[in-house]
Amino acid sequence: MMNKNNSIVLVEDDELLASLLRYRLEKGGYDVNHMANGKIVKEELPKALPDLIVSDIMMPYLSGLELIDFVRNDLKSDIPIIIISSAGNEENVLNAFELGANDFIAKPVSPTELLVRVGKELKKV
């Protein structure tokens, strides 16, 4: 299942989880740029918009919900966004979708499930 090296920005402050997800996505043929927090995202994302964003909700400087708002309203972009979070309560899920998230995965995240969902979102592009 190789891809045209779509680029993915992975926003996750847990280094171990980020490494695991990055490894699986890269093995799946994607170019992955890991950003550890929202501050880095605000600086780097406008310079090189990826084909897809995978983001945690709870992060320092900028939450995943604020990230969705930033991408949709400040950057005026419809880049697919997949939110991953241990804060999978109904309110967070609904807020993420209302703000424009394309998908939501509750932690613990299966790297294989993430790979499938990423592939599904990128086929729509």
Side-chain angles (χ1 to χ4, degrees):
M1 186 166 94
M2 289 305 285
N3 311 287
K4 305 177 302 297
N5 279 1
N6 289 106
S7 62
I8 296 173
V9 164
L10 174 62
V11 188
E12 172 58 64
D13 57 334
D14 178 326
E15 290 295 328
L16 186 61
L17 179 60
S19 296
L20 177 68
L21 297 178
R22 180 181 192 153
Y23 172 78
R24 188 65 183 101
L25 290 169
E26 286 177 344
K27 204 169 171 221
Y30 296 102
D31 291 327
V32 181
N33 181 1
H34 173 233
M35 298 182 184
N37 62 57
K39 188 175 180 184
I40 297 168
V41 172
K42 274 198 143 168
E43 292 167 6
E44 299 299 321
L45 199 60
K47 297 176 192 171
L49 294 175
D51 296 308
L52 182 131
I53 298 169
V54 175
S55 178
D56 190 6
I57 278 193
M58 293 194 280
M59 295 179 302
Y61 306 109
L62 183 80
S63 75
L65 297 176
E66 291 168 324
L67 170 68
I68 299 166
D69 184 60
F70 174 69
V71 171
R72 297 293 182 249
N73 297 310
D74 296 337
L75 299 182
K76 305 278 187 247
S77 174
D78 61 355
I79 297 167
I81 300 173
I82 298 174
I83 294 294
I84 54 175
S85 181
S86 55
N89 66 47
E90 189 175 7
E91 186 180 345
N92 276 336
V93 175
L94 293 175
N95 284 341
F97 282 121
E98 281 174 14
L99 289 167
N102 297 75
D103 203 352
F104 189 102
I105 306 172
K107 287 182 179 176
V109 178
S110 152
T112 303
E113 179 185 356
L114 178 62
L115 192 64
V116 169
R117 289 182 185 238
V118 164
K120 184 174 150 269
E121 285 303 323
L122 289 172
K123 282 188 182 107
K124 292 179 189 174
V125 177

